[in-house]
Structures are given as structure tokens and as C-alpha cells.
């Protein structure tokens, strides 16, 4: 999966660079059109072009790029650069020479290292063009910025976690607890890399969190501090707007419920349910000292002798009456005890003065206490049929107030015992009903609790366990119990059993459940296989005919209908796949004509499709780059003018004058190549070819060049072997051995020309330069020397 993700990210980056290149071409055309408009004044007057320095905006480079080659950041080009290699580009500033390198001939800037936007978001560089031989600056230095474009490579972080918060108990639903905030080091102004969404991973159903703000709120009413005081909540922040592929971070929040005055004051009551609780004390007086004054106490009679017990305080020597069993005000409101106190050490000589003991009667009064309601049963078990409609009665629970006041009781189901809220209870009479149909196959038992609280009491409640069984109904059709594909030998004799099939049913299996099998009606009379119901919830499949050949047909599909005996009865049709195999003499299967399709280890079909898609994208990118390299003068795509915030590299080269071999030359119209014979057309295949009529050179004193051009156009239009006027071939390089010879004056100093250009002197001032170059021999020789020197 990591390798697939890497290929995917690399492909996306190549696509981004492709669109970036197309955008550069579009911006270059846009700037060219803008400069052309600046050169043209009002009413179409052509303005003279002024020299300017290089122009560019900010450059961009994607962070964390790990491609095999350095990343092309952009290209610098100066107006003074004519392309002859005499200009040298120098780069200085942040990262120059280490992170960013420049080709001193072409001005191409590359990033050689992986950049991290979080470490440095932009770099300020300075470019300068100098003469290569003298290092003399040709233009003032120019400063530009390279910005690092962000990718999602930083997960959200909670810088101040873990958090601690407090909220009052019994708060309303939606009460704000606190706000947690995560930070993301990615660029918040670019894409969704830093757009966070919050969610709660732990702490439901008590608390919730707002997805956009991170505010934690209470989600349950009446949370009681006396029942539970602390909650551990886990909050997650996920970037990319919470969508798949985003990075996430978590933090813990410990929430404490603070106390509010929700319980009234209450004096301890005599009525107690805790054995061992002290009820009262008494002490017998003895005037003797030391051991002679010791007194032992015991219960000797009374109706509370089984409910109370006596002990002696070792320090105060008091008799302590303690509760032995729980007492109930509603059952018995008072008890009588007879306590005896006696001296353990008696002097025999004073025995006659006795007896050395005494008795006292104690009355213990039981006072009434506010007790929680009591359910009439320790637990409840109910049954309800699955798929029963909403509102079906499940059963009823009943609790009563045992106090004298006998307050009414209110019932509720604690939400944590029925999280999905399958059931509801009537608050007044304890009637439990369903909230939606139940599915026994999903959950056969539901164990919930019902709470009873007396109205007007001290909010004491009692809970009882309620077990609800979902009774099964026949709502699932039977199906094959095992694999529905079998293998058989092609040499199997007719009547041989090749497989015994059985069935299962998702409904409750009982001893009375039974399955029957039969062939589907459409194959009931087939001549290959048959079925016999064994009447024990199984069926045997056997061969009918002899001579099954796997070369003719190696796979058979046999639909089998399975019926159960439920009410109502259900049936389903299951297809049994039979493969004919080659076997040896002992009926051991050798081959079944099944070619396993084995995927490479660790790769799924989806992964292979993703890899192939990436390869196709890369090939398309390569073809696009090749096409762009071949386009010299026209942009690949003509875009409409729009404001795209990207970098633009603009440069404007002036033509080279006489040295510009790509410029148009009027001498091409003369078509000197056709003077010596036949010259075929290059755009069509002529059906008839005939010699081109000869053309005479105009007289030296002719000044009507316009008539000359019109004549040549008319002759070219009527000549099927001449190139058409609208497809004149222009070559930037003069090849050797041209029939027309060289049009340059570079070799005029050594080569005698047989052409007479004196007539150029009469063509007017516009052709003065040509007349100076070719009109006289001396002029041509001098100009040739100048050109050679240049």
C-alpha cells in the first residue's frame, strides 16, 4: 500500500508540473500579446520598442518532492541575450549554489534538494546577467522570490493536551464544557491540508464535540456526581476536512462533575439496614474499685433478643447495643430487651450478701426512614417475537413505595443499558414496549435495566434487571451448509454418488427442523445429473449418464431448491457448481482445467489497476512533454486570458538583422531554384509535370517592385510545379550545394558573384541598405569583413 501511495503521489506531482508548463506557455503568449498592444498606439500607429530588463514574478516549487531528477523551478532570460552563449547568468541569495543551481548558459533554475515549507516558506534570490568573457554586468541585479508550495505532510497536534475540565452535575444537554484546539503546520491558505474536523472517539454517550469548533458539550441530562464523578474523553482532530486520506491527532480530556446542592439534609434514622450499627449504650454503677467493680453485660430476654446484640466497651466499660439484623419500620416499630449486669469476680466470703447482678429493661423504637421503592420481583424475564411491529408490548415491571407515605413511582430505562434504544417504558405504569422491530439473528437476548424513583421523595431509585428474549420466526431461507462447488472424475460411472449436500438455516435450529431438496424445475429432466433426497436433511448428487468429457465441457451448474418446514415454509434456490476433472485409475483427481490466477504477493486487483493507471498517466505526460519540445513558435493550447496566480517567465528577443536566418527574405519570391529546371511542389503530388517557363530578371533601371511581385504571384498561381504563395518555405539554415547559391555576403570577399545588383540603387531609400550591401563590390567586401568581425 505504501508503494502504491508513493506511485500515486509521484503521478499527481507530474500532472501538476504538466499543467504548470502549459500555464507558462499560455502566460508567455499573454505577455507577448500585451507587449504587442503596448507597441501599437492609438489608430494603429507603430511605436518604437524600448529596451527593458528581464521580467518575472514569483516562482513556485512543491515541498518534499523526491523525484529522480532536480526540479525545474523556472527560467531566467535577459533581453540582451541573443542566444550566442556570450551571456552568463549568476544566481545569489538564500540557498543559491546549495539548494538552487542555475545553468549559466540557459538561465534554467533547478532545486537540487528536498524542501520543507514548514522550515522555510520562501527564498529570496538575486539574478544577474554578465558578459562571459569579462564578467562585466550587462544589466542591474534583479531580485525574485521562490515560494515552497505546501503538501499535506503534517498531522494535527494538540499542543496543550492533556486537558482538564469541570462541569456542574445535573447540567442541561448541550452545556459547554471546554474548547480544545489543534494546530496543523501545513499551509492554511492552500487547499484543505490544514482544515480540521473534530470528532469524539471515547466518551459517548455522555459528551459530544462540535466538528468545526472543537467545543465539548454535555450529551446526557441529569448526570449525577454521586453516581459517577470523572469521565475520560478522547478527542480526534483530522485534516483534509475529515475526508479519507487525511492525517489525524488525538488528545485526552479528563472531565470532572462538580457538586451542586441536589440532596436535602437528613438526620441519621434509627431504622437501619446495616448489621453491626450501634443503637445505644448503658452502664451499671458499681462502687467497688478495680477488678471488683467490673461488670459484664448480656441479653437475657425480650422480643428483640434475635435482632440485637451486646458488647462491652473496653475503655468506658459501657454496654453497647448493636443491630444484629436489619429492622423494618413497616414491619415492627419497637423492640424490648432485658439486659443483665453481673460482677465477674465474686469473693466467696461475701457470697451471702448477693446476688451480685442486676437487670434493666430497654425499649428500642424504630423510626421511619425514606427508603427507595422496591420491585415486587428481584428480576424479570420477558419474551417478544422478532419482527414484531413498533409498540409491541414486552411486559410490565412493578415497584412500590414501602414507606407510610406510599408515594407514586416513576419508571425509566437508563440509557447506558439500552444504548440503541430498542425499548421504552411507560413512566407511570412500568409497561415496556418495543421501539422498532427486533432481529433474533442479530441479537437473541436484550438485557436492560429499569429504574424506579418515588415522586416527591429524596430522589432515591432502585434498579431491576430485565431480560428480554427475542423469539424466533421463520424469516430466513435455507442455504448450502458447505462449499457449493464439487469435483468429480470424468470417468465416473452412471449412478455413482459424487456428493452429499446439506443445508443450514439462520433461524433457530430445533430438533423438529427438517430440510427437503429437489432439482429446480428448469433442470428437473437434465440428462447429466440427478438428486435423491435422503429424508434426513441431506441429499445425494449422482451421475446419470456416462462419458462426461472435460474437454467438451468442464463445468456444470446444477440449481437445487431447498425447503424448510417452518411456518410459513421458506425455500431458496442454490446453484451447485460441478467441475469435471481428469483422474487416475484410483479415482484420484489429477487436473480440473482450472487455471489459478495468482496475484503477486501483497498486491490486490485494485492495487494492480492503480499501478497500471499511473503508468498510463506517466506515458501521457512523456508524450505531452515531447510535443511541447517540438513546438517552437506557437503555444500548445490557446487559453483565454484569466488571472492565475503562478509564476511567469517572460523574455523578448530582438531579431538579429542580417544575422537572423529565420527572418523572411524577399529573395525567396524569386524562386531561383526553379531557374535551372523542374522543381516539384511539396504540398501536392502533381499529375502533370512540365517545364516551368523561364523568367527574366527585371532591368536594372526598373523601379516598379510592386508590379514585379504581382507578376511573380500570378506566375506562381498558374504554375502547378511552383510552391503556392501561402505556403512559402522558410529555412533557418542555408545548406551546402543550394541551386540558388548563398544569399549571404560573408563569402563575397573571396567569391566572384555573377549577379548584378546595381539596379537596387534606383529602388528608393527603403532599399538603401541592400543597395549599400550589394550595389558595389567594395561596399559588399567591407560589410562582409564587418560581419565576419562581428
Amino acid at each position: 500500500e505504501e508503494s502504491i501511495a508513493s506511485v500515486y503521489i509521484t503521478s499527481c506531482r507530474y500532472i501538476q508540473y504538466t499543467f504548470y508548463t502549459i500555464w507558462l506557455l499560455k502566460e508567455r503568449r499573454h505577455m507577448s500579446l500585451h507587449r504587442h498592444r503596448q507597441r501599437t498606439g492609438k489608430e494603429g500607429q507603430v511605436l518604437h520598442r524600448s529596451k527593458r530588463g528581464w521580467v518575472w514574478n514569483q516562482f513556485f516549487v512543491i515541498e518534499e518532492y523526491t523525484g529522480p531528477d532536480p526540479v525545474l523551478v523556472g527560467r531566467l532570460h535577459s533581453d540582451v541575450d541573443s542566444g550566442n552563449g556570450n551571456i552568463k547568468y549568476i544566481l545569489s541569495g538564500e540557498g543559491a549554489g546549495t539548494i538552487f543551481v542555475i545553468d549559466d548558459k540557459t538561465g534554467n533554475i533547478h532545486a537540487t534538494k528536498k524542501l520543507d515549507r514548514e522550515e522555510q516558506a520562501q527564498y529570496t534570490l538575486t539574478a544577474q546577467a554578465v558578459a562571459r568573457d569579462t564578467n562585466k554586468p550587462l544589466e542591474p541585479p534583479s531580485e525574485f522570490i521562490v515560494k515552497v508550495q505546501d503538501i499535506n505532510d503534517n498531522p494535527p497536534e494538540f499542543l496543550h493536551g492533556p486537558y482538564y475540565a469541570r462541569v456542574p452535575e445535573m447540567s442541561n444537554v448541550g452545556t459547554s464544557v471546554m474548547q480544545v484546539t489543534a494546530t496543523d503546520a501545513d499551509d492554511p491558505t492552500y487547499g484543505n491540508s490544514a482544515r480540521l474536523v473534530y470528532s469524539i472517539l471515547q466518551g459517548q454517550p455522555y459528551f459530544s464535540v462540535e466538528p468545526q469548533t472543537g467545543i465539548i458539550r454535555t450529551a446526557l441530562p441529569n448526570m449525577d456526581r454521586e453516581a459517577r464523578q470523572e469521565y475520560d474523553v478522547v478527542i480526534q482532530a483530522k485534516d483534509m476536512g475529515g475526508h479519507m486520506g487525511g492525517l489525524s491527532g488525538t488528545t485526552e480530556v479528563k472531565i470532572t462533575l462538580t457538586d451542586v446542592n441536589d440532596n436535602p439534609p437528613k438526620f441519621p434514622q434509627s431504622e437501619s439496614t446495616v448489621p453491626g450499627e450501634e443503637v445505644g449504650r448503658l452502664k451499671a454503677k458499681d462502687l467497688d474499685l478495680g477488678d471488683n467493680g467490673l461488670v459484664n453485660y448480656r441479653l437475657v430476654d425480650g422480643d428483640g433478643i434475635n435482632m440485637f446484640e451486646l458488647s462491652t466497651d473496653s475503655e468506658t466499660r459501657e454496654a453497647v447495643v448493636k443491630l444484629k439484623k436489619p429492622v423494618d419500620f413497616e414491619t415492627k416499630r419497637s423492640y424490648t430487651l432485658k439486659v443483665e449486669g453481673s460482677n465477674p469476680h465474686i469473693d466467696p466470703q461475701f457470697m451471702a450478701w448477693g446476688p451480685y447482678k442486676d437487670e434493666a429493661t430497654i425499649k428500642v423504637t424504630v423510626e421511619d426512614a425514606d427508603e427507595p421503592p422496591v420491585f415486587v420481583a428481584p428480576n424479570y424475564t420477558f419474551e417478544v417475537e422478532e419482527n414484531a411491529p413498533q409498540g409491541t408490548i414486552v411486559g410490565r415491571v412493578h415497584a412500590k413505595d414501602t414507606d407510610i407515605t406510599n408515594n407514586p413511582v416513576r419508571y425509566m430505562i437508563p440509557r447506558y443499558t439500552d444504548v440503541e434504544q430498542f425499548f421504552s417504558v411507560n413512566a407511570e405504569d412500568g409497561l415496556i414496549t418495543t421501539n422498532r422491530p427486533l432481529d433474533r439473528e442479530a441479537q437473541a437476548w436484550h438485557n436492560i435495566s429499569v429504574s424506579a424513583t418515588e415522586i416527591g421523595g429524596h430522589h432515591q431509585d432502585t434498579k431491576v434487571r430485565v431480560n428480554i428474549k427475542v423469539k424466533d420466526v421463520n424469516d430466513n431461507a435455507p442455504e448450502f451448509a458447505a462449499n457449493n462447488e464439487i469435483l468429480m472424475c470424468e470417468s465416473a460411472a452412471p449412478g455413482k454418488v459424487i456428493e452429499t449436500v446439506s443445508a443450514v438455516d439462520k433461524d433457530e435450529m430445533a430438533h423438529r427442523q427438517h430440510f427437503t431438496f429437489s432439482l429446480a424445475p428448469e433442470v428437473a429432466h437434465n440428462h447429466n445429473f440427478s438428486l435423491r433426497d435422503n429424508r434426513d436433511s441431506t441429499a445425494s448428487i449422482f451421475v446419470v449418464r456416462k462419458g462426461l468429457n472435460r474437454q467438451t465441457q468442464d463445468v456444470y451448474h446444477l440449481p437445487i431448491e431447498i425447503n424448510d418446514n417452518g411456518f410459513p415454509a421458506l425455500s431458496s434456490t442454490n446453484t451447485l457448481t460441478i467441475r469435471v476433472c481428469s483422474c487416475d485409475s484410483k479415482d484420484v483427481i489429477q487436473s480440473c482445467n482450472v487455471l489459478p490466477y495468482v496475484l503477486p504477493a501483497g498486491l490486490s486487483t485494485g492495487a494492480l489497476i492503480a499501478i497500471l493507471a499511473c503508468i498510463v498517466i506517466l506515458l501521457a505526460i512523456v508524450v505531452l512533454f515531447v510535443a511541447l519540445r517540438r513546438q517552437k513558435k506557437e503555444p500548445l493550447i490557446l487559453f483565454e486570458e484569466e488571472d492565475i496566480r503562478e509564476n511567469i517567465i517572460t523574455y523578448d528577443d530582438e531579431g538579429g538583422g542580417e544575422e537572423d536566418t529565420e527572418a523572411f527574405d524577399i529573395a525567396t519570391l524569386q524562386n531561383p531554384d526553379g531557374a535551372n529546371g523542374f522543381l516539384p511542389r511539396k504540398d501536392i503530388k502533381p499529375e502533370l509535370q512540365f517545364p516551368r517557363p523561364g523568367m527574366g530578371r527585371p532591368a536594372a533601371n526598373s523601379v516598379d517592385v510592386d508590379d514585379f511581385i504581382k507578376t511573380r504571384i500570378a506566375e506562381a498561381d498558374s504554375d502547378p510545379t511552383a510552391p503556392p504563395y501561402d505556403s512559402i518555405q522558410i529555412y533557418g539554415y542555408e545548406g551546402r550545394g543550394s541551386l540558388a547559391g548563398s544569399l549571404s555576403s560573408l563569402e563575397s570577399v573571396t567569391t566572384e558573384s555573377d549577379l548584378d545588383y546595381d539596379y537596387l540603387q534606383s529602388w528608393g531609400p527603403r532599399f538603401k541598405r541592400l543597395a549599400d550591401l550589394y550595389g558595389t563590390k567594395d561596399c559588399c567586401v567591407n560589410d562582409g569583413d564587418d560581419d565576419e568581425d562581428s
Side-chain angles (χ1 to χ4, degrees):
E1 293 177 353
E2 292 179 357
S3 61
I4 295 173
S6 177
V7 172
Y8 174 76
I9 292 173
T10 304
S11 303
C12 293
R13 286 174 174 168
Y14 274 119
I15 293 173
Q16 187 170 4
Y17 278 121
T18 303
F19 284 105
Y20 171 71
T21 305
I22 296 174
W23 178 84
L24 288 179
L25 293 173
K26 174 250 182 180
E27 286 296 329
R28 179 179 175 185
R29 173 179 176 80
H30 172 67
M31 293 302 296
S32 298
L33 293 174
H34 179 68
R35 290 195 299 270
H36 177 71
R37 295 190 185 104
Q38 290 180 342
R39 294 173 191 167
T40 306
K42 300 178 181 179
E43 300 179 358
Q45 181 180 0
V46 178
L47 302 179
H48 292 286
R49 180 186 179 278
S50 61
K51 280 293 244 182
R52 66 168 64 182
W54 46 37
V55 179
W56 57 79
N57 291 332
Q58 294 173 343
F59 292 165
F60 292 86
V61 60
I62 297 180
E63 68 168 331
E64 305 293 347
Y65 176 73
T66 56
D69 299 323
V71 181
L72 176 62
V73 178
R75 182 186 179 192
L76 305 179
H77 192 87
S78 174
D79 290 339
V80 299
D81 189 355
S82 60
N84 55 9
N86 294 332
I87 304 299
K88 179 180 180 181
Y89 294 98
I90 300 175
L91 189 67
S92 61
E94 296 177 316
T98 57
I99 299 177
F100 303 100
V101 296
I102 187 171
D103 188 328
D104 60 357
K105 294 182 179 179
T106 64
N108 290 336
I109 301 175
H110 290 81
T112 61
K113 295 182 178 180
K114 183 172 64 173
L115 303 180
D116 188 355
R117 190 200 67 85
E118 288 69 42
E119 292 183 1
Q120 186 167 348
Q122 64 181 29
Y123 296 83
T124 303
L125 299 172
T126 301
Q128 189 173 20
V130 301
R132 183 174 296 276
D133 52 352
T134 63
N135 284 333
K136 181 180 179 181
L138 300 179
E139 287 188 357
S142 185
E143 187 177 272
F144 64 97
I145 294 176
V146 177
K147 283 195 172 183
V148 182
Q149 192 169 359
D150 182 55
I151 64 172
N152 187 24
D153 60 342
N154 291 279
E157 294 182 355
F158 293 90
L159 301 180
H160 304 291
Y163 298 86
Y164 298 89
R166 301 165 68 89
V167 64
E169 64 174 330
M170 299 296 175
S171 296
N172 295 328
V173 174
T175 300
S176 175
V177 179
M178 73 172 305
Q179 182 177 16
V180 294
T181 304
T183 59
D184 196 312
D186 293 320
D187 188 358
T189 63
Y190 180 78
N192 293 329
S193 298
R195 189 163 72 90
L196 305 183
V197 172
Y198 298 91
S199 61
I200 183 168
L201 301 183
Q202 177 181 317
Q204 305 100 328
Y206 307 102
F207 299 94
S208 63
V209 63
E210 292 183 357
Q212 306 301 329
T213 63
I215 297 177
I216 302 174
R217 300 184 182 275
T218 57
L220 280 183
N222 303 327
M223 287 193 292
D224 191 1
R225 183 197 65 83
E226 287 74 26
R228 181 176 177 182
Q229 185 173 1
E230 293 185 349
Y231 297 85
D232 293 325
V233 179
V234 177
I235 302 297
Q236 180 192 67
K238 190 173 184 181
D239 59 18
M240 298 299 291
H243 295 125
M244 183 178 297
L247 305 177
S248 63
T250 60
T251 187
E252 294 183 1
V253 182
K254 184 177 290 294
I255 302 176
T256 303
L257 297 183
T258 59
D259 186 50
V260 298
N261 189 10
D262 60 340
N263 293 283
K266 183 179 178 182
F267 289 106
Q269 302 294 322
S270 298
E271 181 179 0
S272 174
T273 58
V274 182
E277 184 176 348
E278 181 179 328
V279 175
R281 292 181 176 229
L282 71 158
K283 185 178 182 180
K285 292 183 179 181
D286 194 319
L287 299 179
D288 297 323
L289 300 176
D291 291 342
N292 296 326
L294 293 179
V295 179
N296 288 344
Y297 304 94
R298 70 185 181 94
L299 291 174
V300 295
D301 198 4
D303 58 2
I305 193 171
N306 295 324
M307 304 297 294
F308 302 93
E309 62 183 359
L310 284 180
S311 63
T312 303
D313 191 325
S314 59
E315 294 182 359
T316 63
R317 306 307 300 173
E318 294 176 322
V320 180
V321 182
K322 294 183 178 180
L323 188 65
K324 186 178 180 180
K325 295 181 180 180
V327 293
D328 186 10
F329 174 82
E330 286 73 26
T331 303
K332 188 174 179 61
R333 301 185 182 184
S334 65
Y335 294 89
T336 300
L337 298 174
K338 184 176 286 189
V339 181
E340 178 188 81
S342 60
N343 291 131
H345 304 289
I346 301 176
D347 191 340
Q349 61 180 337
F350 302 108
M351 183 72 69
W353 294 15
Y356 291 91
K357 60 182 178 181
D358 194 11
E359 291 182 352
T361 299
I362 303 173
K363 184 177 182 180
V364 180
T365 302
V366 180
E367 297 182 358
D368 189 20
D370 187 12
E371 298 177 288
V374 177
F375 283 95
V376 297
N379 57 72
Y380 295 87
T381 300
F382 301 121
E383 292 184 351
V384 61
E385 287 190 352
E386 68 173 325
N387 303 326
Q390 176 183 353
T392 300
I393 297 176
V394 177
R396 175 175 295 174
V397 296
H398 180 63
K400 61 181 180 179
D401 184 10
T402 58
D403 300 323
I404 296 178
T405 56
N406 193 20
N407 291 324
V409 177
R410 184 176 298 276
Y411 303 92
M412 65 170 291
I413 298 177
R415 185 173 177 181
Y416 64 88
T417 67
D418 185 20
V419 178
E420 299 185 33
Q421 300 183 8
F422 288 107
F423 308 95
S424 60
V425 61
N426 189 295
E428 297 179 357
D429 58 11
L431 188 65
I432 302 175
T433 56
T434 60
N435 289 333
R436 59 177 178 271
L438 306 177
D439 186 3
R440 189 204 67 86
E441 285 70 41
Q443 188 171 349
W445 283 87
H446 295 266
N447 301 316
I448 66 173
S449 294
V450 177
S451 173
T453 305
E454 63 175 287
I455 302 175
H458 294 88
H459 304 287
Q460 300 183 83
D461 66 338
T462 302
K463 297 181 178 63
V464 68
R465 181 91 171 199
V466 179
N467 304 314
I468 301 173
K469 179 182 179 181
V470 183
K471 296 173 61 177
D472 182 50
V473 297
N474 192 31
D475 59 346
N476 291 278
E479 57 188 12
F480 281 133
N483 186 16
N484 59 347
E485 179 175 299
I486 62 176
L487 306 178
M488 63 163 290
C489 295
E490 61 181 343
S491 59
K496 181 178 179 179
V497 175
I498 59 175
E499 184 69 16
T500 299
V501 295
S502 59
V504 294
D505 196 318
K506 292 181 181 179
D507 295 319
E508 186 176 9
M509 300 293 292
H511 63 279
R512 65 181 183 276
Q513 192 168 20
H514 182 74
F515 301 108
T516 58
F517 301 83
S518 62
L519 292 178
E522 61 268 21
V523 295
H525 303 288
N526 76 94
H527 303 290
N528 298 319
F529 304 96
S530 184
L531 178 147
R532 180 177 65 246
D533 192 337
N534 298 326
R535 301 183 181 278
D536 58 355
S537 295
T538 65
S540 299
I541 310 298
F542 57 91
V543 182
V544 174
R545 72 178 180 88
K546 183 181 180 181
L548 295 178
N549 189 343
R550 66 189 180 95
Q551 302 297 334
T552 303
Q553 184 174 353
D554 62 339
V555 177
Y556 294 87
H557 298 287
L558 189 64
I560 298 176
E561 186 177 288
I562 308 176
N563 297 269
D564 62 17
N565 62 337
F567 183 79
L570 296 178
S571 64
S572 65
T573 301
N574 299 262
T575 301
L576 186 67
T577 301
I578 303 174
R579 294 190 179 275
V580 182
C581 306
S582 174
C583 304
D584 57 13
S585 59
K586 297 181 180 181
D587 290 340
V588 177
I589 295 177
Q590 302 293 328
S591 174
C592 295
N593 281 351
V594 179
L595 300 178
Y597 178 68
V598 181
L599 291 176
L603 291 179
S604 62
T605 304
L608 291 177
I609 294 175
I611 293 175
L612 292 176
C614 293
I615 294 175
V616 171
I617 293 174
L618 293 177
L619 291 176
I621 292 173
V622 172
V623 172
L624 184 58
F625 273 121
V626 172
L628 289 175
R629 288 180 176 272
R630 293 181 177 178
Q631 298 293 332
K632 295 296 184 179
K633 295 184 178 296
E634 294 294 332
L636 182 62
I637 299 177
L638 297 178
F639 291 101
E640 295 180 358
E641 296 185 6
E642 58 184 8
D643 183 16
I644 301 179
R645 293 187 297 172
E646 288 285 353
N647 54 323
I648 175 170
I649 306 171
T650 61
Y651 51 92
D652 194 321
D653 291 339
E654 287 187 323
E658 292 179 335
E659 299 175 357
D660 189 357
T661 58
E662 296 185 8
F664 177 76
D665 194 340
I666 195 173
T668 310
L669 293 175
Q670 298 180 3
N671 194 19
D673 294 337
N676 297 330
F678 168 73
L679 182 63
R681 292 184 61 168
K682 297 182 180 181
D683 57 340
I684 62 171
K685 182 178 180 181
E687 297 180 359
L688 297 176
Q689 297 181 353
F690 51 87
R692 181 180 175 184
M695 294 183 296
R697 183 173 59 84
N701 57 356
S702 175
V703 294
D704 194 354
V705 179
D706 185 58
D707 292 342
F708 169 78
I709 294 176
K710 289 181 179 180
T711 303
R712 289 294 184 265
I713 292 175
E715 292 176 352
D717 289 342
S718 61
D719 187 359
T721 63
Y725 179 76
D726 57 351
S727 62
I728 296 178
Q729 304 297 317
I730 301 175
Y731 297 91
Y733 173 76
E734 297 181 49
R736 296 290 183 180
S738 173
L739 296 176
S742 176
L743 299 178
S744 173
S745 61
L746 295 178
E747 298 180 359
S748 61
V749 67
T750 57
T751 305
E752 293 294 334
S753 175
D754 58 349
L755 297 178
D756 184 6
Y757 297 100
D758 291 338
Y759 60 88
L760 294 176
Q761 299 291 341
S762 60
W763 280 17
R766 291 191 178 185
F767 299 94
K768 183 178 184 305
R769 180 60 175 168
L770 291 176
D772 293 341
L773 290 175
Y774 300 101
T776 61
K777 183 175 181 180
D778 294 340
C779 177
C780 295
V781 172
N782 293 335
D783 290 343
D785 294 340
D786 293 341
D787 292 340
E788 290 176 355
D789 293 340
S790 61

